[in-house]
Amino acid sequence: MRAVWPELAGSEVLGIGYAGPYLRLWRRRAARLISIMPVQGPSPGRLSRWPADGPGALALAEEENLPFADLSFDNVLMVHGLEHADHARRMLREVWRVLRDEGRLLVVVPNRRSIWAHLDHTPLGHGQPYTPLQLARLLERGMFHVERRDGALFVPPFRSRLLLRTARLWEGVGHAVSPKLSGVTIIEARKEVFGALSLRTQPSGRRVTVPAWVGRGLAPAARGQGHVRPADEVLAREADPGGEGTR
């Protein structure tokens, strides 16, 4: 994580899921750090104080209703939150909403291909694992542009002091020999604020798209209409007409 985000000086950072232990990487220089644990998950309703040596900055929140205004954060770190979400696309829509234009999202989820995701006694053996390609496609559908993919946790999920002592060796060999078998998938993505929304199908059967400044809260009116509809309404009714919808 430090390699992806080495410095976040002056940035406002939101952690979602089990991100608290990792937010300390930027604690000295970030302008604001807040950690949110979703009500859903393997341990619902359980909170432990964070940070331990300062004013509390941790709370519970619904995954589809983050208690922050639009454009509140520069960076969002999501660690083991997405795989436990009841509605992953709606959760990503909320993250998109609270991120500032061109804001960055860093997602950590269990890798479907790894042995960690297939053993119930491991912390990663619960919820919905993703391959790097599956996660990238989910983020792209959520109006994020994937900029970096990586993996970590190549150490086998067995209790052994020897394995722990050689963890750095396992990580180095894993990256070089079998990067697709990492225990977790890590993807950095950038919020996209300019997109094209499909408006309607012409009699000829050809679909017409027009640009929409979704990041500004408004979308241009459809051709032939005399009003401007909010971007959220366009997204909910036209971008995902038969699915679970977006906020």
Side-chain angles (χ1 to χ4, degrees):
M1 292 182 184
R2 191 186 296 276
V4 179
W5 290 348
E7 293 290 340
L8 295 180
S11 298
E12 297 188 74
V13 186
L14 173 65
I16 298 178
Y18 299 88
Y22 306 99
L23 291 176
R24 63 186 180 185
L25 294 173
W26 308 287
R27 190 176 177 189
R28 290 185 178 181
R29 306 198 65 184
R32 179 172 63 151
L33 293 171
I34 296 178
S35 183
I36 289 290
M37 292 188 67
V39 176
Q40 301 81 358
S43 302
R46 296 182 59 183
L47 275 179
S48 57
R49 182 178 178 82
W50 185 87
D53 57 347
L58 174 66
L60 284 174
E62 294 285 345
E63 63 186 33
E64 303 172 32
N65 188 24
L66 297 177
F68 305 106
D70 297 356
L71 311 176
S72 295
F73 296 95
D74 302 291
N75 299 75
V76 172
L77 173 66
M78 187 183 297
V79 180
H80 303 313
L82 195 61
E83 65 262 35
H84 299 297
D86 291 335
H87 301 285
R89 292 182 64 184
R90 295 179 186 176
M91 187 178 193
L92 288 175
R93 175 59 178 147
E94 271 294 271
V95 172
W96 186 95
R97 180 183 66 80
V98 301
L99 265 176
R100 296 190 173 110
D101 295 350
E102 302 296 314
R104 303 280 170 154
L105 168 65
L106 188 60
V107 183
V108 180
V109 299
N111 182 5
R112 180 184 291 276
R113 295 192 180 101
S114 76
I115 188 173
W116 283 86
H118 296 281
L119 295 178
D120 292 337
H121 71 271
T122 75
L124 309 184
H126 305 274
Q128 173 67 50
Y130 295 88
T131 66
L133 181 58
Q134 288 172 335
L135 181 57
R137 287 175 175 173
L138 180 64
L139 290 170
E140 288 168 356
R141 288 197 297 268
M143 296 186 294
F144 289 94
H145 176 72
V146 174
E147 299 207 332
R148 179 167 178 167
R149 305 184 192 187
D150 207 340
L153 197 63
F154 291 91
V155 178
F158 304 114
R159 295 182 179 179
S160 168
R161 293 184 177 180
L162 178 61
L163 286 177
L164 292 178
R165 293 193 191 103
T166 58
R168 291 183 179 273
L169 176 62
W170 279 96
E171 293 299 303
V173 173
H175 272 105
V177 176
S178 55
K180 294 183 178 180
L181 298 181
S182 61
V184 295
T185 293
I186 304 173
I187 288 186
E188 182 194 23
R190 172 175 46 81
K191 173 180 175 177
E192 289 190 328
V193 296
F194 184 78
L197 302 178
S198 177
L199 292 182
R200 62 183 179 180
T201 302
Q202 295 295 309
S204 62
R206 181 173 61 88
R207 297 190 67 82
V208 177
T209 60
V210 297
W213 282 101
V214 293
R216 302 302 183 189
L218 294 177
R223 188 174 301 172
Q225 296 179 348
H227 66 282
V228 176
R229 288 177 294 170
D232 282 350
E233 179 185 345
V234 177
L235 287 169
R237 295 184 180 180
E238 294 173 318
D240 188 21
E244 58 188 356
T246 54
R247 292 189 76 257

